[in-house]
Amino acid sequence: MSSKPDASRPRAADTKKVHIADTQMTRQNWYKHVNWLNVTFIIGIPIAGCIQAFWVPLQLKTAIWAVIYYFFTGLGITAGYHRLWAHCSYSATLPLRIWLALVGGGAVEGSIRWWARDHRAHHRYTDTDKDPYSVRKGLLYSHLGWMVMKQNPKRIGRTDITDLNEDPVVVWQHRNYIKVVLTMGLIVPMLVSGLGWGDWYGGFVYAGILRIFFVQQATFCVNSLAHWLGDQPFDDRNSPRDHIITALVTLGEGYHNFHHEFPSDYRNAIEWHQYDPTKWTIWTCKQLGLAYDLKQFRSNEIEKGRVQQLQKKIDQKRAKLDWGTPLDQLPVMEWDDYVEQTKNGRGLISIAGVVHDVTDFIKDHPGGKAMIKSGLGKDATAMFNGGVYYHSNGAHNLLSTMRVGVIRGGGEVEIWKRAQKENSEYVRDETGQRIIRAGQQVTKMPEPIPTADAA
C-alpha cells in the first residue's frame, strides 16, 4: 500500500521556489522582505508602551520592581539560554532549569531551542554568510535587521541540537512558548504590581512592555556592539571584542573576544574587577546546590592565547618598521675597497664586520663630528662597544638602517650567516622577519672590547 504524503513536509514544487530573502528588494516588493510579526513584537509593542507611558504615572515601587524583573529575565537569557543551554558551560538542577526557562521566556526572545540553535550557528560560522546575525552585514543588521527582515533558513549554518531535543524543560518551553511569553512577559509583572500595591496598569506598561524592550535591546547588543566596540586580546581573526561598556549593558556578556575563544567557560570576565553578574549568579547557584560542573578553561591555555595575540600585534608593528637591509642581502666588500671608498670622501664605518654609510649622520652625531670621523675607514667595533662610548640600544638600531655592505672575513658576520643557514638561535616572526631583540643586534658585542689606549 502506498503511504499518504506527510503534510508537514514541503511539496516537491516548493523546493524550487526562490526565497524572498534571495531576491532583490525594490519599491514594489520591500514589504515582502519584512518580518511583520517580529516588527510588531520588537518595534510596534514597545512604541505603544512608550505612548502609554505618557498617561501612566511611574510609581517608585513599580520602577524598583521593573528593574528587579529586568535582571531576572536578563539573567534568564545570559545564564540560561546562553551559558547553560547554548554552550553547556555548567549543569543545573531541575528547579533552576525550570526557573531559567520561565524568566528567559519573559524576555520574549524566542524559545530556548530556537535561540540556542541560532547562537551555536553564530559561533560555528562567525562572520560568514551562514552566521544568522553576522556583523559583516552591518552593525544595524546584526543588532536588529536579521530579525525584522526575513532570512532564508536554509542559509543558516547547521548545528547539532540533539541535547536540546532531549531536555524535557527545553521541549516543554518550546511547545508552550506563547503561553510562557504571555504569562512571564506581561501577566506576572502586572500581577506583582497590582496585587502588591495596586498599580496594575503601571506593572503592565513599565515592568511588562518597556522592561521587555530594554532586555531585548541589551541582549541584541551582544550580537552587534560586542562585535564592533573594544579590544581583541585573544584573537583578531574574527570580529568579537571585549569592552566594559558592552559588559555593563549585557549583564557581563561584553568580554566577547574571550567568550568566542573559550565558549564553554562559564565565565565571560576572568578578572576579579571585571563586571559579570551572570558569572556571579552561576557561582552563587553552585553554592546553593542548584548548579554544578562549572567549566573553566585552564589558565595556562588562556594566557597562551593572550601571549600569542600580543606577539601577533608586535609582529604586525615590527613589519612596519625599518630594520635595515638584512645582512645576507648586503654586498661583500674587500677591506681595501672599504678603506679606498673612505679616502675618496664616503663616510663609511665598519662595526662588527658590517659597513655603514654615516655620511649624512656625521653632522648629527651626539658625540660630535670629530669623534665619529675618527672611526671612518677603520674597524670601529671597539670604539662603538665601550672603548670610547658604550652606545645605547637605540644607537645600534639606528646604525642598522645605515648598512651598505659586509667585510669579507668579518668574523661576527660569517658566524651569523652560518647560523642563519642552520636555522639555529635566531627566531623569525610570522611574517618571516628575524626578531632582533634589544642587545642582540649584530653590532652589539657581549662584552666591551678593550682598546690599546685603555690597556
Side-chain angles (χ1 to χ4, degrees), residues 138-193:
L139 186 66
L140 185 59
Y141 178 88
S142 64
H143 186 81
L144 203 62
W146 70 279
M147 287 176 292
V148 300
M149 304 302 292
K150 291 179 180 177
Q151 287 196 81
N152 186 347
K154 293 182 179 179
R155 294 193 177 278
I156 299 175
R158 292 180 176 273
T159 57
D160 182 11
I161 57 171
T162 305
D163 58 318
L164 301 178
N165 292 333
E166 294 174 351
D167 188 327
V169 174
V170 174
V171 173
W172 172 84
Q173 196 233 36
H174 186 72
R175 289 177 177 172
N176 299 277
Y177 179 66
I178 299 300
K179 296 177 182 177
V180 172
V181 164
L182 293 175
T183 302
M184 300 302 296
L186 298 172
I187 296 175
V188 167
M190 182 176 63
L191 283 175
V192 171
S193 297

Side-chain angles (χ1 to χ4, degrees), residues 82 87 119 123 255-263 265 268:
H82 189 205
H87 293 297
H119 191 72
H123 271 260
Y255 303 100
H256 214 51
N257 192 252
F258 171 85
H259 172 63
H260 269 254
E261 279 295 289
F262 312 102
D265 198 308
N268 251 218

Side-chain angles (χ1 to χ4, degrees), residues 20 36-37 39 46 49 119 128 166-167 179 219 349 359 412 419 455:
I20 186 64
W36 292 106
L37 180 63
V39 168
H119 191 72
T128 69
E166 294 174 351
D167 188 327
K179 296 177 182 177
T219 306
I349 191 168
T359 305
E412 293 79 6

Side-chain angles (χ1 to χ4, degrees), residues 220-234:
F220 299 163
C221 284
V222 180
N223 303 332
S224 57
L225 202 62
H227 287 259
W228 178 72
L229 176 66
D231 301 320
Q232 296 178 300
F234 297 97

Side-chain angles (χ1 to χ4, degrees), residues 66-85 90 96-107 109 112 115 211 214-216 218-219 247-253 266 275-285:
V67 171
I68 292 173
Y69 201 53
Y70 168 89
F71 274 89
F72 281 165
T73 53
L75 289 169
I77 297 296
T78 58
Y81 279 39
H82 189 205
R83 302 193 196 184
L84 174 60
W85 281 296
Y90 70 100
L96 180 57
R97 283 172 27 232
I98 293 174
W99 168 251
L100 291 172
L102 290 174
V103 292
E109 296 183 19
I112 298 167
W115 197 102
R211 186 265 320 159
F214 285 112
V215 169
Q216 288 179 342
T219 306
L248 292 172
V249 171
T250 61
L251 300 182
E253 303 282 19
Y266 87 97
Y275 180 75
D276 189 358
T278 303
K279 173 187 70 176
W280 305 330
T281 299
I282 296 171
W283 181 87
T284 302
C285 287

